[in-house]
Amino acid sequence: MANIHRLGPIFFIFLLLPLLLQISSVIGDLQLDYYKDSCPRAEEIIKEQVTELYKKHGNTAVSWIRNLFHDCMVQSCDASLLLETKYGVLSEQRSVRSFGMRNFKYVGTIKEALESECPLTVSCADIVALSARDGVVLLGGPEIAMKTGRKDSKESYVAEVEAFIPNHNDTMSLVLSQFQSVGVDTEGTVALFGAHSVGRTHCTILVNRLYPEVDPTLDPDYAEYLKRRCPSPDPDPKAVEYTRNDLETPMVLDNMYYKNLLRHKGLLSVDQQLASDPRTSPFVEKMAADNDYFHEQFSRALAVLSENNPVTGDKGEIRKDCRYVNRD
Ligand code: HEM
Ligand SMILES: *[C@@H]1O[C@H](CO)[C@@H](O)[C@H](O)[C@H]1NC(C)=O
């Protein structure tokens, strides 16, 4: 009799277990196809919109990939990046690290399509994640299984952006430790840099490798080309002087980036360091030689980054307009 009494609480927990598990999926935990009941066409709508936008403005797909990086590194993938300056809070988009970011207005196009089918159901944070996933495919990258169920932040973290997003000339040790802190290992970090296989870099970022002297780790012919693209050592940051990140396949997410690094044609100082640092160079060589391997590692690492510290439950909300927190 006494024994049964002592087991009572244990039986009780066993009875509750299924209920507890169900609650945990309601209050949080990312899962595949989170919207299957609440908005069954959510992922399809996002893919349609991302595809339409890509046809009109190819570089939107590029922006969605950079958005994921900048949103997820800072605190969590919570769409804090999308908040505009309002109510006295400065937008993360105003950080020096966000230099060159573009196409934010088209996030609104995707959100509107979702709102008209399922109002206040799909988070802006999941739009950030899924638009990046679909952008990757349009740019010839791999298919990535990505969980959903993220909530949107109720604040912006502009003061923390510089601590979490590395600068273009930071040391590899700092870069590796920053990625490690969000769960991305060295191999994954090297793969994520492959995003610099698409898009552009403005002259303001590059001139310190060109003037007054050319950085000796830069291929001399390539440096000549870059100097023609960026003739002034002190360009106006508002001028649209830039160069493609990858001259050969500028709109394809492929391993050309790593081949370029091996030829000393990395654009940013951090890019070029990947090829010279003994911790990262073996991965650069492997990725340069094998596009499928690059894609595999890129998928894995992007999924990890997308799951960094998700906001769930009522710590977050589903914004009505991705640019502003909800006000009632
Ligand atoms: C140490 C890490 C990194 C640094 C310092 C860095 C820095 C930069 C800089 C300075 C630009 C050029 C911006 C401009 O002039 O317009 C850029 C572009 C870009 N970055 Fe990164 N980045 C890093 C990692 C990543 C990662 C991990 C991703 C995504 C997985 C990413 C995605 C992109 C994309 C897609 C562009 C092109 C944007 C466009 O054309 O609009 N970057 N990055
Ligand atoms: C890194 O670049 C910034 C500009 O983005 C510049 O102010 C700084 O002096 C550079 N640091 C080094 C060590 O070159």
Side-chain angles (χ1 to χ4, degrees), residues 62 66 69 99-100 102 166-167 193 195-196 199-202 268:
V62 170
R66 195 175 181 208
F69 169 52
F99 178 79
R102 48 181 166 162
N167 205 355
F193 266 85
H196 288 172
R200 63 176 180 179
T201 296
H202 287 81
L268 309 180

Side-chain angles (χ1 to χ4, degrees), residues 68-81 92 95 97-98 153 156-165 182 305 308-309:
L68 187 153
F69 169 52
H70 281 246
D71 191 37
C72 297
M73 285 295 275
V74 182
Q75 289 285 345
S76 96
C77 302
D78 55 6
S80 59
L81 171 70
E92 291 175 22
S95 165
R97 293 289 192 278
S98 309
S153 75
S156 156
Y157 304 101
V158 66
E160 285 157 62
V161 174
E162 284 179 58
F164 287 98
I165 307 267
V182 297
L305 182 56
N308 176 32
N309 191 28

Side-chain angles (χ1 to χ4, degrees), residues 26-311:
V26 170
I27 59 172
D29 297 4
L30 303 182
Q31 55 191 73
L32 289 172
D33 212 2
Y34 177 87
Y35 298 107
K36 65 176 178 295
D37 300 321
S38 59
C39 187
R41 274 196 3 98
E43 299 203 12
E44 226 173 298
I45 293 172
I46 294 175
K47 192 188 272 176
E48 281 164 15
Q49 292 298 318
V50 168
T51 306
E52 282 307 302
L53 287 166
Y54 171 74
K55 286 186 198 149
K56 281 186 230 150
H57 318 279
N59 55 37
T60 50
V62 170
S63 297
W64 307 150
I65 303 173
R66 195 175 181 208
N67 280 1
L68 187 153
F69 169 52
H70 281 246
D71 191 37
C72 297
M73 285 295 275
V74 182
Q75 289 285 345
S76 96
C77 302
D78 55 6
S80 59
L81 171 70
L82 301 180
L83 291 174
E84 292 193 352
T85 298
K86 204 175 182 188
Y87 309 121
V89 182
L90 197 65
S91 171
E92 291 175 22
Q93 295 168 23
R94 303 288 186 87
S95 165
V96 288
R97 293 289 192 278
S98 309
F99 178 79
M101 294 188 87
R102 48 181 166 162
N103 292 318
F104 288 113
K105 68 177 173 192
Y106 298 118
V107 177
T109 311
I110 303 173
K111 178 64 167 168
E112 274 165 33
L114 288 164
E115 287 301 297
S116 70
E117 179 137 333
C118 323
L120 284 174
T121 308
V122 181
S123 69
C124 298
D126 281 334
I127 296 176
V128 169
L130 295 177
S131 62
R133 175 183 78 170
D134 296 337
V136 164
V137 174
L138 289 169
L139 295 168
E143 302 259 357
I144 306 173
M146 210 174 256
K147 293 180 180 172
T148 40
R150 298 164 188 80
K151 292 279 168 65
D152 299 326
S153 75
K154 296 177 189 172
E155 53 192 315
S156 156
Y157 304 101
V158 66
E160 285 157 62
V161 174
E162 284 179 58
F164 287 98
I165 307 267
N167 205 355
H168 56 90
N169 53 8
D170 277 335
T171 64
M172 195 43 61
S173 294
L174 182 73
V175 170
L176 292 177
S177 73
Q178 279 166 317
F179 279 91
Q180 200 141 54
S181 71
V182 297
V184 178
D185 58 16
T186 301
E187 195 173 13
T189 302
V190 174
L192 286 179
F193 266 85
H196 288 172
S197 165
V198 293
R200 63 176 180 179
T201 296
H202 287 81
C203 292
T204 24
I205 309 276
L206 297 175
V207 284
N208 68 344
R209 296 191 71 205
L210 302 174
Y211 305 104
E213 285 107 34
V214 170
D215 180 335
T217 64
L218 195 56
D219 172 84
D221 292 335
Y222 192 48
E224 281 313 308
Y225 167 79
L226 293 175
K227 281 172 132 178
R228 285 198 299 277
R229 295 287 305 176
C230 304
S232 162
D234 189 18
D236 174 359
K238 294 214 172 66
V240 275
E241 283 185 325
Y242 64 87
T243 180
R244 300 270 209 173
N245 286 343
D246 172 352
L247 293 179
E248 278 147 279
T249 55
M251 290 297 279
V252 186
L253 190 70
D254 60 4
N255 65 344
M256 190 64 74
Y257 169 77
Y258 303 96
K259 294 181 185 168
N260 286 335
L261 296 184
L262 294 178
R263 299 177 196 133
H264 300 277
K265 294 180 178 181
L267 266 188
L268 309 180
S269 157
V270 282
D271 291 320
Q272 198 55 58
Q273 282 181 63
L274 287 178
S276 57
D277 190 294
R279 291 166 292 186
T280 50
S281 60
F283 299 123
V284 169
E285 281 167 30
K286 242 177 118 177
M287 289 179 200
D290 185 346
N291 197 49
D292 291 340
Y293 165 70
F294 159 53
H295 280 176
E296 246 164 63
Q297 291 300 320
F298 186 85
S299 307
R300 182 182 65 86
L302 202 75
V304 170
L305 182 56
S306 82
E307 288 171 28
N308 176 32
N309 191 28
V311 176

